[in-house]
Amino acid sequence: MRLPWWGVLGVILGALALLILFDHFGKLTLARPTMTSAAMVIIAIAMRWKLKRHMWFWITMTCLAALHVPLILFVPWTTRWIPAFVIIPIGMADLYLMLWVLSVVGKFMGGPEASKG
């Protein structure tokens, strides 16, 4: 997956706006987990984009994104530096779990061909 230059610029500006917003409200510790969770949800949607015409796909993704909210709000986060080799496996596990849920829901809703993206 590659983003065009305007996509990269949009991601940078969106992340900067999110950082400023969290800093303004004094919740800077929530910025990193929010951006990581949002990135994993967006990547899961991009990886299964062929399912975009199915309502169950969007309902499932909305539920999965909503499940991230309590995780972000109720886990004590830190602003200290955390190495990428710690964050990346957690994000990948989150992504794989979302893809697995989409696969299970797809098989339940429309058979094996509906779950393949």
Side-chain angles (χ1 to χ4, degrees):
M1 292 186 292
R2 293 189 72 164
L3 283 177
W5 68 268
W6 52 268
V8 173
L9 183 62
V11 168
I12 292 170
L13 292 177
L16 181 61
L18 193 65
L19 283 172
I20 291 170
L21 182 70
F22 277 115
D23 188 41
H24 176 72
F25 289 109
K27 299 286 187 180
L28 193 58
T29 57
L30 299 179
R32 183 181 10 210
T34 301
M35 286 191 286
T36 303
S37 294
M40 294 304 110
V41 169
I42 290 168
I43 290 171
I45 290 171
M47 289 179 74
R48 296 296 182 251
W49 189 243
K50 291 179 181 177
L51 300 173
K52 66 184 174 199
R53 296 183 190 262
H54 299 280
M55 183 58 73
W56 63 263
F57 171 72
W58 294 108
I59 292 170
T60 305
M61 288 310 302
T62 301
C63 292
L64 289 172
L67 286 173
H68 283 84
V69 174
L71 176 70
I72 292 168
L73 292 177
F74 298 125
V75 170
W77 301 100
T78 181
T79 56
R80 292 185 353 197
W81 181 77
I82 299 173
F85 68 85
V86 173
I87 296 173
I88 290 172
I90 295 169
M92 294 303 293
D94 183 28
L95 177 63
Y96 285 134
L97 182 63
M98 284 189 285
L99 294 175
W100 176 78
V101 168
L102 283 172
S103 176
V104 169
V105 172
K107 287 178 183 175
F108 178 73
M109 295 302 291
E113 66 280 347
S115 64
K116 294 181 181 174

